[in-house]
Amino acid sequence: MHLEIRGLEKLSFRERQAVVLKESGKSQEQIAKKLHLSQSSVATLLNRAKGKGYQIVCIIPEAELGLGGYDFDEEESDS
């Protein structure tokens, strides 16, 4: 699975760091430790970032969904 974060250009450097860690599954406590900030500062960064409107897009390869990676058009033409 691949995550794409759209709208990162709207965020400050620290907001980007916090968002990337959050979207990677880290807790606010873990983010705070990693960035050497208080948890309240992390919450502020994440709230500011949310207000600026970034989007997370999840890209899942066909093989991970059990679709075999072949094109559906090929399957239909064989029938």
Side-chain angles (χ1 to χ4, degrees), residues 15-68:
E15 290 167 347
R16 288 178 191 186
Q17 288 180 316
V19 165
V20 167
L21 290 169
K22 175 186 175 272
E23 299 303 338
S24 298
K26 304 291 186 226
S27 69
Q28 284 194 16
E29 181 180 1
Q30 291 170 317
I31 296 168
K33 285 180 182 177
K34 179 77 173 177
L35 298 180
H36 306 288
L37 298 170
S38 69
Q39 287 188 46
S40 63
S41 293
V42 170
T44 298
L45 287 170
L46 294 173
N47 283 331
R48 285 183 189 164
K50 185 177 179 182
K52 293 179 182 181
Y54 70 90
Q55 296 178 322
I56 303 300
V57 178
C58 179
I59 301 167
I60 303 171
E62 289 179 347
E64 285 187 32
L65 295 173
L67 299 175

